[in-house]
Amino acid sequence: MATESLIWLLPLPPLLAFALIVLGANHSRVISHTLAVLGVGLSFVGSMTVFWRALQVHDLAAYPFTSSINWLLVGIDWFRVGIQIDPLSAVTLFFVAWTILCIMIYSIGYHNFGSPVGVHDKPGLPPHGALDTSIEGKIIHIPSVEPMYARFFALLSLFAFAMFVLVVSDNLLTLYIGWEIMGFCSYMLIGFWYAKPSARDAGLKAFLTTRVGDVFLLLGLAALYTSTGSLSYDIIFDTTVIERLSTVPTGIFGLSLAGLSGLLLFIGTIGKSAQFPLHIWLPDAMEGPTPVSAMIHAATMVSAGVYLAVRAFPLLSAGWLPGHPLTTPMLFMAFIGTFTAFFAATIALSQNDIKRVLAYSTISQLGYMIAALGVGSFVGAVFHLVTHAFFKALLFLGSGSVIHGMEAGALSEEETLDVQDMQNMGGLRKKMPTTFWTFLIGGFSLAGFPLVTAGFWSKDEILTGAFSEGNWIVFTLLGLSALFTAFYTARQITLTFLGEPRSEAAMHAHEPTRTMTYPLIVLALFAVAAGWLGIPAGFPIIGGDQPGWFQTFLFAMIPFGEHTAESHSAIPLVVSLVVSLGGLFLGWRVYSTHSAGKADPLEKILGPVYRLLKNKYYIDELYSVIFIKPSVWIAEKLTSIWMDGKAIDGFLHGLSQLTPALGDLLRNGFDKPVINNGGDAMGDMLIDFGQWMRRFQSGRVQQYLLYSVWVVIISGMVIFYLVGKG
C-alpha cells in the first residue's frame, strides 16, 4: 500500500471501534475492549510502518509524505484538506501510537475485567467492590468490574481517533477538528463518574477553561485564513508568506500579523497544555480514571498543545535569529513557560495525592517545553515532548497500579481511607516489585537522573539552549524547577514505596494483573532508551563530533536552521547533575524517616510557605472571587432577577395585561360595529330581497308560462330591432 494511502487510514480503526461499541457491542465487555485494542492496534501497526518509511527518506522535511483532496467549495476555489508526515509529525506519531496502545491494554486490568459485578455498584460512580469466595472457602471483598466498562473504551477510542487526526493533518482546520473532539472526550472522561459531584465539576471546569484558549485559537485561524487564503502548512508556514506577514503591522502591542497570528494560536496552547493562568483544570482532572490521566496528561491532549506551539513556531519566531533579541511572542512564551515550570513545581512539593503530584509535575514539564520554544530551543522542546510522553505515561500508569493495589488491600481489610494519599502508603516496594522498579525508572527520568534516563538528555538540551542564548533568568528558574522536580520525585517514591507500610491497605496491597504491568515495562524501556537518540555533539566522553540522531532528524524543520550552530557547555551539564542528584538525595533524606501520624517534614521546614503551597497559592480561591462569584452574581441578580424577571417577564406580563384591553377595543370598536353589524345588515338585505322575490314564486304553472311568453316576446322585439337597424 502507498504510504500516503496508509496515512489516510491511520485514524479510522479507532473511530470504527468507537462506532461499533456505541451501536451494539457495548452489551459485551469482551467485545468492547477487543474492538478498542484492535482499533488502536491497527493504527499502531500502520504508524510504525509509516515511521519506518519516513526514516528511509533522505530529506523528509523537504519531501514529506503528503496528499490532499478538495473538501469545501469556497467561492470559485476549493478548500483542501489532507495528510502530511514530516519529521515533527513522524516523531509525534511514534510516541502517540506507543502510549495509546499501552494505555488501552492497561485499561483492561485497571477496570477489573473478569471480576464480578458489585451488588451496590451504580453507573456513574466508582465501583465499590464485590464479594467472592477464596480458595479456602472464605468470603472476601475484592475489586469489582467497572459498571460502564464499554462506555470507557468507546470514549478512549474516540480520543485516540482525534489525536491521530491532529497528528497526520496537513492543515490547521482538521487539526482544530481533532483538537475539539479531544476537548469533548476530555470532558466526558474526566467526568466519567458523573454521579460523583467532584468528578462532574472537574469535567465542566476542564471544558470551560480550555474553551477560553480555544476561542483565541479560532481567532488565529481566522486571521491566517483571511491574510493567506489558506490554512495548509505548506502555505502559511512558507518562508515567503511568513516574511510578508512579518512586515504587516497590526497596531496591537507592536506585533506584526505573523506575530499576532502565532500568539493567538499559542493562547490555544496555554489552555490545552494547562499553562498559567489557564492551568487550573488539569489538577482537578485527576477525578477521572487513571488511564484517562495518562491519556490526557501524557499521550494526547496536553501534548497536542505543545505540538501546536511547535507547528506555529515559524510565526512566533518570524524575523528572529539565534544570538539576537527575542521577538515579543517569544518573550511571552519564555515568560509563560518559565513561570509555569517554576510555579507548578513548587506546588507539587506539598501535594499528598499521588496523582496530583504528577498533575502539577505535568504542568511544570510542559512549561519547560514552552520555555524552550521561547528561547529558541526548537529541538529541545520537541525532544522533551517525546521523552516526557513516555516517562509521564509510565508514572501515571504506575500511580494507577499503586492505587489499584491499595484499593485491593483496603477492600480485603475493610479499611476506609484515601487510597491515593501517599501518607497512607509506604513499603510497597516489596508488595509490588514490578510497579516499584518501573515507577523508579519513570521517576528518575522525570528527575533527570544523569546519562541513563531519557529525561536527563532532553532537559539538558533545554538548559543548554537557554544558557547558550544568554537567557539567565530562564536558565536559573528552570534549574531551580529541575531541583524541585527531583526533590518531589524522591519524596513521592520514598513515601509510596520505601519504609514501612503506614496503613493496613498498604500492608495487604499486591501487584496487579499482567495487562497492567506489561505496559509499564514497555514504557520503562522508552523512559530510558529514548534519550540516547539525542546525545548532543561535544558532550563529554560519549558525545561524538556529529549531532545526535534526534537533532539531525529535526534540523531541517527549524526555521532558522542554517544559522544554528550546536554547542554544548559544561555549565548547563554541571547544573543538570547537581540539581538532579542533589534533589533526589535531599528528597530521600528528608522523607526516609517519615512515619505514620507525623506531620510532613516540609511543613516544619517551610512553615507558612508550606500552607501557601498546599493551597496552590490560593489561585482557585482568587479565580472564584474574580470570575466565579461575579459570574454567579450576574447570572442570579442581573440576568435572572433584573433582565429576566423585571425586563423580559415585566414586558410579557405588561403585554398580557394589555392584551385583554386591546381585545375589548377591537371587539367593541371593530368586531361589533363592523363585522357583526355589517354581517347582520347583509343578512337583512338578503332576507328583504328574498321576500321581494317571493312575489314571483307563486307556485302556479300558468303564471310561470305567462312570464315565459312575455320574456320571449320582449326578447324577440329587441333582437328584431337590433337586426333591422343593422
Side-chain angles (χ1 to χ4, degrees), residues 323-336:
H324 291 70
L326 300 176
T327 65
T328 301
M330 292 178 72
L331 280 172
F332 182 69
M333 292 176 70
F335 168 76
I336 291 293

Side-chain angles (χ1 to χ4, degrees), residues 121-282:
D121 289 349
K122 296 180 180 179
L125 287 172
H128 297 291
L131 297 177
D132 197 13
T133 305
S134 67
I135 300 175
E136 294 82 9
K138 296 180 180 180
I139 301 298
I140 56 174
H141 208 174
I142 63 172
S144 54
V145 69
E146 167 59 48
M148 299 188 297
Y149 190 88
R151 175 191 176 105
F152 179 84
F153 281 96
L155 289 171
L156 217 59
S157 296
L158 184 62
F159 212 141
F161 159 75
M163 189 61 188
F164 279 117
V165 168
L166 184 145
V167 173
V168 303
S169 292
D170 75 337
N171 65 93
L172 290 177
L173 181 61
T174 48
L175 179 147
Y176 184 72
I177 292 172
W179 181 283
E180 290 301 331
I181 294 174
M182 280 195 293
F184 165 76
C185 291
S186 70
Y187 165 71
M188 296 294 290
L189 287 167
I190 293 170
F192 182 73
W193 289 315
Y194 53 82
K196 186 180 175 185
S198 58
R200 183 176 62 246
D201 294 343
L204 188 61
K205 184 177 184 179
F207 187 77
L208 293 178
T209 305
T210 53
R211 293 289 75 71
V212 175
D214 291 357
V215 169
F216 288 93
L217 171 57
L218 189 59
L219 291 174
L221 299 188
L224 285 171
Y225 186 76
T226 302
S227 57
T228 66
S230 176
L231 292 176
S232 296
Y233 300 156
D234 59 346
I235 294 178
I236 60 176
F237 298 138
D238 180 73
T239 305
T240 304
V241 173
I242 290 179
E243 288 178 354
R244 176 174 62 83
L245 295 179
S246 65
T247 61
V248 179
T250 62
I252 301 176
F253 302 118
L255 293 169
S256 66
L257 186 54
L260 179 61
S261 300
L263 208 53
L264 290 171
L265 299 183
F266 173 66
I267 295 176
T269 293
I270 291 177
K272 194 69 90 179
S273 292
Q275 297 296 281
F276 181 87
L278 300 180
H279 66 286
I280 55 172
W281 67 268
L282 195 146

Side-chain angles (χ1 to χ4, degrees), residues 202 205 274 279-287 297 355-356 359-360 363 616 620:
K205 184 177 184 179
H279 66 286
I280 55 172
W281 67 268
L282 195 146
D284 289 352
M286 299 301 104
E287 290 289 342
H297 307 134
K355 286 173 64 178
R356 284 185 179 267
Y360 281 105
I363 297 172
K616 303 162 289 187
D620 283 295

Side-chain angles (χ1 to χ4, degrees), residues 30-116:
V30 176
I31 296 176
S32 295
H33 75 232
T34 300
L35 286 172
V37 173
L38 182 62
V40 298
L42 290 173
S43 294
F44 169 81
V45 172
S47 299
M48 294 304 102
T49 302
V50 170
F51 182 74
W52 175 254
R53 293 180 183 179
L55 296 181
Q56 313 308 310
V57 179
H58 174 64
D59 189 353
L60 187 62
Y63 305 102
F65 296 118
T66 60
S67 174
S68 61
I69 58 172
N70 293 332
W71 188 38
L72 293 175
L73 185 62
V74 182
I76 60 174
D77 203 358
W78 286 90
F79 186 93
R80 297 180 64 83
V81 297
I83 52 90
Q84 175 176 309
I85 295 295
D86 54 20
L88 174 61
S89 52
V91 295
T92 306
L93 187 64
F94 181 83
F95 79 74
V96 164
W98 272 104
T99 51
I100 287 178
L101 180 62
C102 288
I103 292 167
M104 195 70 77
I105 295 172
Y106 175 95
S107 299
I108 298 173
Y110 182 83
H111 286 301
N112 302 312
F113 173 74
S115 296

